[in-house]
């Protein structure tokens, strides 16, 4: 049921988007991720459920093999991520840079990045100047965009008592130095913040991972 809901939400989100935007950033589209996970989860749970009800050995074996493969892939990813932490960091950097490039192409992706930057009090991948990779925020003199040399409003320092958010607060911030810009926006990148958060919450991450692994092993 959960997988069907995920699939329905993913398909609904994709249908609401413009065709050109959907094609432009398919690799970093949260809706596409929901569809893929929903389909995979449905197929696996369908095999387990119907195999149990009908006592179908083939479906139960397929269910067991799928769970085992997913569990081993998760274990391998965790080990490789720990052993090759530099390469894992490079892959995360690549994903974040790709998301920055397609920031204005997809509203779902835009909301996801804005949420992350607000939650972790960060801006860009390595620094706020990474936003120059986006065609709208690019800092070159030939860029005709009104957002030239700007950063998204989610990078800005917000006053707790501020009732209305100033969405123009990030304009011209890339043209300023770190010290000057830090008075208005978060200048630290999200990669370091994400790494620091994961190090500070190792027990939480371990508990979540164990919580996901135990039902798979039991299954």
């Amino acid at each position: 049921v959960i997988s069907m809901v995920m699939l329905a939400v993913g398909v609904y989100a994709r249908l609401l988007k413009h065709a050109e935007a959907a094609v432009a950033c398919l690799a970093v589209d949260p809706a596409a991720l929901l569809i893929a996970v929903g389909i995979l989860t449905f197929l696996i749970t369908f095999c387990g459920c119907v195999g149990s009800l009908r006592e179908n050995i083939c479906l139960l074996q397929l269910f067991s093999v799928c769970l085992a493969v997913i569990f081993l892939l998760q274990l391998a990813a965790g080990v490789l991520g720990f052993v090759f932490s530099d390469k894992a960091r490079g892959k995360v950097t690549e994903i974040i840079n790709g998301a920055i490039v397609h920031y204005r192409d997809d509203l779902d992706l835009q909301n996801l990045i804005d949420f992350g930057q607000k939650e972790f009090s960060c801006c860009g991948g390595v620094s706020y100047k990474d936003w120059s990779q986006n065609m709208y925020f690019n800092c070159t003199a030939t860029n005709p965009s009104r957002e030239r040399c700007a950063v998204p409003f989610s990078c800005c320092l917000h006053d707790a008592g501020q009732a209305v958010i100033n969405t123009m607060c990030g304009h011209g911030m890339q043209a300023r130095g770190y010290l000057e810009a830090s008075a208005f926006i978060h200048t630290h990148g999200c990669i370091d913040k994400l790494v620091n958060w994961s190090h500070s919450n190792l027990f939480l991450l371990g508990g979540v991972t164990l919580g996901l692994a135990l039902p798979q092993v039991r299954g």
Side-chain angles (χ1 to χ4, degrees):
V1 171
I2 292 170
S3 63
M4 289 288 284
V5 171
M6 288 173 64
L7 183 60
V9 170
V11 170
Y12 179 70
R14 289 289 294 177
L15 291 174
L16 286 180
K17 296 178 183 180
H18 298 293
E20 61 273 11
V23 173
C25 53
L26 185 63
V28 288
D29 187 2
L33 185 64
L34 268 179
I35 292 171
V37 173
I39 291 173
L40 182 65
T41 309
F42 176 78
L43 290 174
I44 294 170
T45 51
F46 178 82
C47 289
C49 185
V50 175
S52 299
L53 289 172
R54 298 292 180 184
E55 297 183 357
N56 188 307
I57 299 300
C58 291
L59 287 178
L60 287 174
Q61 285 179 338
L62 183 61
F63 173 72
S64 300
V65 169
C66 287
L67 281 185
V69 168
I70 290 171
F71 177 74
L72 290 173
L73 286 173
Q74 288 172 339
L75 189 64
V79 172
L80 289 172
F82 182 77
V83 175
F84 301 103
S85 56
D86 289 339
K87 288 188 177 180
R89 183 189 174 94
K91 189 63 180 174
V92 171
T93 303
E94 184 183 327
I95 292 169
I96 290 177
N97 286 338
I100 287 172
V101 170
H102 294 293
Y103 177 76
R104 286 290 187 220
D105 300 342
D106 191 320
L107 188 59
D108 288 340
L109 183 65
Q110 184 175 311
N111 289 335
L112 188 65
I113 293 172
D114 285 336
F115 172 77
Q117 292 192 147
K118 288 177 186 175
E119 196 69 21
F120 290 101
S121 300
C122 59
C123 188
V126 177
S127 79
Y128 67 103
K129 297 203 173 185
D130 286 343
W131 280 103
S132 202
Q133 296 176 65
N134 185 282
M135 63 184 293
Y136 297 98
F137 299 111
N138 190 283
C139 220
T140 55
T142 54
N143 184 10
S145 172
R146 291 185 179 182
E147 295 181 302
R148 185 175 73 86
C149 258
V151 295
F153 75 95
S154 54
C155 290
C156 297
L157 301 171
H158 295 299
D159 187 2
Q162 190 177 13
V164 180
I165 297 173
N166 177 17
T167 56
M168 309 287 282
C169 59
H171 278 235
M173 288 298 155
Q174 288 188 63
R176 303 189 182 198
Y178 279 84
L179 192 60
E180 189 182 0
S182 62
F184 303 96
I185 63 169
H186 300 290
T187 53
H188 296 290
C190 294
I191 296 170
D192 287 332
K193 290 274 186 164
L194 192 61
V195 170
N196 292 337
W197 180 86
S198 61
H199 287 166
S200 304
N201 295 274
L202 282 176
F203 288 110
L204 175 64
L205 292 172
V208 171
T209 304
L210 191 63
L212 291 171
L214 285 176
Q216 291 174 351
V217 173
R218 187 174 181 276

